[in-house]
């Protein structure tokens, strides 16, 4: 058929991330002095051939002469290559299966190791065109089939002339030999595939640069294309978020920019333009002004527990989903609280300062074990409850107070009033959240009600404690010590100075908001939050979102998913279904959830529909945001 479309795809550095003979060289010479020397020679010959600087046959002969391989080595190579398939190829596995009649692998590599890899994606054996090894009776590779046109100079051109494909031909590859097919007039478009390697000489000849298969499918409006290619999704990560998060998002195909510090409101208003995903920690203030300046923002990831730095209502009003990491650094904060309680009870900060002044104060005066002491926990959530367990294991008697009914863990005792806790406990540890009503929660009045000689620990939120009153209580001796990790105003980055609000107190621990700053916690957060981001982009699942109705969704196969975010008014679902009926769409599944502000409708439909359907859905009154998946 004249209108049939063929996809002619290279293998090395296109279907896979690597050049196969480079990997074979590593397999053969692993652990020997030859590995680096031969690997370097193989790569140099490959690059020369891919750039058109050396005839392919010469490069092939010279590379094979360096490789002393057997059939067993080739089989091992196939196994390794299966682990090294390009990320965007893996993401679009359904495309290769659906287009199996029209996808051709045309490679100057070897079918011996290519076929086992690409057949896993549904590509037909008869559509795999590549060289073949020759073997002796000991299964040792002796060379290649010289009669195969792909072993010759301009071999891909010769093969394509023999195939004489009747239809539109798209060539996708990273090398000069792929461009030669287009140059010979045997293809309509040459896509220089740059996901794994960018060869400038090849790119200069390309019709289109494609950094992923997503971009190619999107550009040709293929039914299997996502609504927007992942390689075009821009992610901005602030405050030196862990590098694993950046890597995970880049592996998914997104463009990721990582900055070391926070940005102020005006800076962020400018920087957020064109950004689809924003990742922040605690210092970045995401205000309504910033949200309104964001022209593409889909979601925000808070790489921390709290979200009080985010205007959640503004995000909701603009259809921006917010995710956080409510559990990932719990253990780190709890361990720090335990450590600080022990240090303060033993007067260690005071003794350290005395030593700095040249004072020798070997005394048990004011120094206590934590065993048998009463710990009061204000806020019995994830952190407070885990602190309760560890403190009890140390022999402390644990009491807690929370405005919400919480089940006591272990032998902890729930108290019915804050005043009762303050008058009872030797140590008070704050673990309330950052909601607006908790600003100034713990005042001078509360500090005055604490037992004389008690200790206060705040690893919760900076604005919670009235620091001036705490200073007076420490200087007067009413409190024996305190540990403060969070402050009402904190520097945006490590280059800024900090004026400590508490001064001239010996038994005091001040730390720069590092309660959750352990490598383990940051790695956990860097895994959890990007995972939620990717899941939301890929499936529309809003499970664990802070501000959206929580909907957990499976990945859809062989269909299109449409996500409609709207104000929570009546009749929207009926209007949507009228649109689907008008366009004759078969609904495969539909999910609706609402909260007090918005409704979230997810509809799965058959793959075939007219573009007018999308416009009709976007034009429904009270629509906030609409997008399609798959």
């Amino acid at each position: 058929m004249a209108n049939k479309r063929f996809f002619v795809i290279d293998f090395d550095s296109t279907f896979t991330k690597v050049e196969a003979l480079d990997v074979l060289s590593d397999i053969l010479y692993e652990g020997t002095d030859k590995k680096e020397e031969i690997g370097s020679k193989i790569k140099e010959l490959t690059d020369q051939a891919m750039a058109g600087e050396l005839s392919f046959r010469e490069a092939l002969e010279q590379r094979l002469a360096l490789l002393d391989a057997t059939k067993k080595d080739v089989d091992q190579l196939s196994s390794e290559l299966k682990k090294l398939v390009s990320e965007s190829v893996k993401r679009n596995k359904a495309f290769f299966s659906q287009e199996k009649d029209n996808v051709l692998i045309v490679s100057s590599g070897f079918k011996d190791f290519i076929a086992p890899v690409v057949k896993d994606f549904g590509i037909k054996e008869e559509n795999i065109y590549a060289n073949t090894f020759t073997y002796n009776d000991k299964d040792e590779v002796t060379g290649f089939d010289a009669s195969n046109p792909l072993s010759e100079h301009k071999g891909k051109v010769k093969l394509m002339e023999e195939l004489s494909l009747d239809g539109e031909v798209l060539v996708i590859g990273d090398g000069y030999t792929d461009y030669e097919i287009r140059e010979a007039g045997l293809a309509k478009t040459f896509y220089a595939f740059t996901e794994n390697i960018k060869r400038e000489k090849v790119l200069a000849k390309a019709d289109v640069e494609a950094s992923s298969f997503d971009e190619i499918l999107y550009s040709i409006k293929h039914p299997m294309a996502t609504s927007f290619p992942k390689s075009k999704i821009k992610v901005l990560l602030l405050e030196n978020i862990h590098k694993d998060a950046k890597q995970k998002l880049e592996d998914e195909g997104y463009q990721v920019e990582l900055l070391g510090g926070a940005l102020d409101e005006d800076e962020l208003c400018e920087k957020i333009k064109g950004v689809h995903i924003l990742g922040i920690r605690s210092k970045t203030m995401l205000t309504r002004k910033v949200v309104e300046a964001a022209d593409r923002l889909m979601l925000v990831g808070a790489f921390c527990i709290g979200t009080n730095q985010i205007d959640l209502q503004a995000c909701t009003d603009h259809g921006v989903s917010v995710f956080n990491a409510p559990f990932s650094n719990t253990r780190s904060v709890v361990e720090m609280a335990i450590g600080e309680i022990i240090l303060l009870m033993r007067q260690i900060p005071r003794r350290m300062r005395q030593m700095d002044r040249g004072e020798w104060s070997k005394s048990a005066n004011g120094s206590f074990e934590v065993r048998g002491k009463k710990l009061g926990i204000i806020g019995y959530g994830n952190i407070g409850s885990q602190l309760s367990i560890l403190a009890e294991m140390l022999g402390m008697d644990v009491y807690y107070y929370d405005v919400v009914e919480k089940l006591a863990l272990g032998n902890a005792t729930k108290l019915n009033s804050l005043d009762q806790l303050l008058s009872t406990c030797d140590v008070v540890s704050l673990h309330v959240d950052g909601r607006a009503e908790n600003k100034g929660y713990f005042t001078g009045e509360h500090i005055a009600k604490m037992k004389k000689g008690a200790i206060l620990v705040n690893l919760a939120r900076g604005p919670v404690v009235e620091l001036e009153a705490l200073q007076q209580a420490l200087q007067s001796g009413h409190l024996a010590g305190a540990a403060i990790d969070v402050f009402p105003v904190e520097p945006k980055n490590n280059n800024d100075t900090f004026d400590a609000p508490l001064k001239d107190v010996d038994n005091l621990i001040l730390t720069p908001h590092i309660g959750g700053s352990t490598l383990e916690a940051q790695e956990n957060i860097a895994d959890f939050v990007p995972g939620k981001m990717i899941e939301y982009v890929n499936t529309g699942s809003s499970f664990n979102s802070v501000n959206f109705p929580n909907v957990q969704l499976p990945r859809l196969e062989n269909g299109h998913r449409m996500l409609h975010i709207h104000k929570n008014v009546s009749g929207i679902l009926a209007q949507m279904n009228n649109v689907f009926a008008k366009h004759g769409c078969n609904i495969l599944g539909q999910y609706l959830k609402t909260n007090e502000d918005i409704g979230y409708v997810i509809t799965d439909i058959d793959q075939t529909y007219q573009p007018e359907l999308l416009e009709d859905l976007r034009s429904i009154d009270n629509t906030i945001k609409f997008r399609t998946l798959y």
Side-chain angles (χ1 to χ4, degrees), residues 193-212:
F193 192 75
T194 58
E195 180 174 325
N196 305 307
I197 190 169
K198 185 177 288 191
R199 307 182 195 276
E200 295 300 337
K201 290 186 178 179
V202 176
L203 194 55
K205 300 288 187 181
D207 296 303
V208 181
E209 177 184 358
S211 60
S212 69

Side-chain angles (χ1 to χ4, degrees), residues 8 15 22 53 57 87 96 158 189 210-211 213 228 253 270 306 312 357 360 405 460 480 489 497 512 542 546 568 580:
V8 175
F15 200 94
D22 292 354
E53 298 168 356
R57 175 160 286 200
E87 295 299 330
F96 291 98
K158 292 173 184 175
T189 309
S211 60
F213 267 93
F228 191 73
E270 187 60 33
L312 293 176
R357 296 193 294 261
W360 184 265
E405 187 66 34
V489 179
T497 57
S542 59
V546 178
N568 188 9
F580 290 125

Side-chain angles (χ1 to χ4, degrees), residues 153-172:
H153 180 58
K154 290 189 180 288
K156 289 188 177 181
V157 172
K158 292 173 184 175
L159 174 75
M160 294 298 294
E161 287 174 339
E162 290 179 13
L163 292 176
S164 188
L165 299 176
D166 185 15
E168 179 185 341
V169 177
L170 309 180
V171 177
I172 303 162

Side-chain angles (χ1 to χ4, degrees), residues 202-325:
V202 176
L203 194 55
K205 300 288 187 181
D207 296 303
V208 181
E209 177 184 358
S211 60
S212 69
F213 267 93
D214 308 302
E215 283 190 37
I216 296 168
L217 301 185
Y218 182 73
S219 70
I220 63 175
K221 296 181 172 57
H222 192 278
M224 296 295 290
T226 55
S227 59
F228 191 73
K230 292 185 179 182
S231 52
K232 297 293 186 184
I233 292 177
K234 292 185 178 180
V235 182
L236 176 62
L237 302 179
L238 301 178
E239 302 184 61
N240 205 29
I241 285 167
H242 196 281
K243 65 182 188 306
D244 284 359
K246 182 176 187 287
Q247 187 62 55
K248 189 167 185 176
L249 293 164
E250 285 178 335
D251 287 346
E252 190 64 19
Y254 306 153
Q255 297 179 44
V256 184
E257 182 180 5
L258 175 62
L259 299 181
L263 298 177
D264 63 29
E265 186 178 60
D266 289 338
E267 290 172 328
L268 191 52
C269 282
E270 187 60 33
K271 192 69 177 175
I272 205 168
K273 289 181 171 62
V275 169
H276 301 89
I277 299 172
L278 175 67
I280 62 174
R281 294 175 72 184
S282 57
K283 292 184 177 66
T284 299
M285 296 295 111
L286 190 61
T287 63
R288 180 172 289 274
K289 180 180 176 182
V290 175
V291 174
E292 289 175 350
D295 52 353
R296 297 288 180 87
L297 195 61
M298 289 191 295
L299 67 101
V300 174
F303 285 71
C304 52
I305 294 176
T307 56
N308 56 300
Q309 74 277 36
I310 300 170
D311 189 327
L312 293 176
Q313 189 61 55
C315 288
T316 303
D317 292 345
H318 288 79
V320 177
S321 189
V322 178
F323 295 90
N324 67 339

Side-chain angles (χ1 to χ4, degrees), residues 305 327-338 382-383 386 389-390 393 515-516 518 520-521 524:
I305 294 176
F327 315 110
S328 300
N329 64 3
T330 300
R331 178 71 184 201
S332 297
V333 176
V334 168
E335 285 189 3
M336 183 160 158
I338 289 287
N382 299 321
I383 294 175
Q386 190 167 144
I389 294 169
L390 292 189
M393 291 175 67
T518 62
E520 292 90 346
N524 289 339

Side-chain angles (χ1 to χ4, degrees), residues 126-146:
E126 58 267 30
N127 284 357
I128 304 169
Y129 298 91
N131 284 296
T132 53
F133 288 124
T134 56
Y135 302 89
N136 62 20
D137 57 2
K138 296 180 181 178
D139 281 343
E140 296 169 332
V141 174
T142 57
F144 55 89
D145 178 6

Side-chain angles (χ1 to χ4, degrees), residues 12 18-27 39 41-44 46-47 63 67 77:
D12 293 289
V18 294
E19 293 290 324
L21 293 185
D22 292 354
V23 179
L24 180 58
S25 172
D26 289 343
I27 290 171
K41 288 179 181 177
I42 294 279
K43 186 177 187 309
E44 183 181 349
T46 300
D47 289 342
R63 284 181 291 173
L67 299 170
L77 173 60

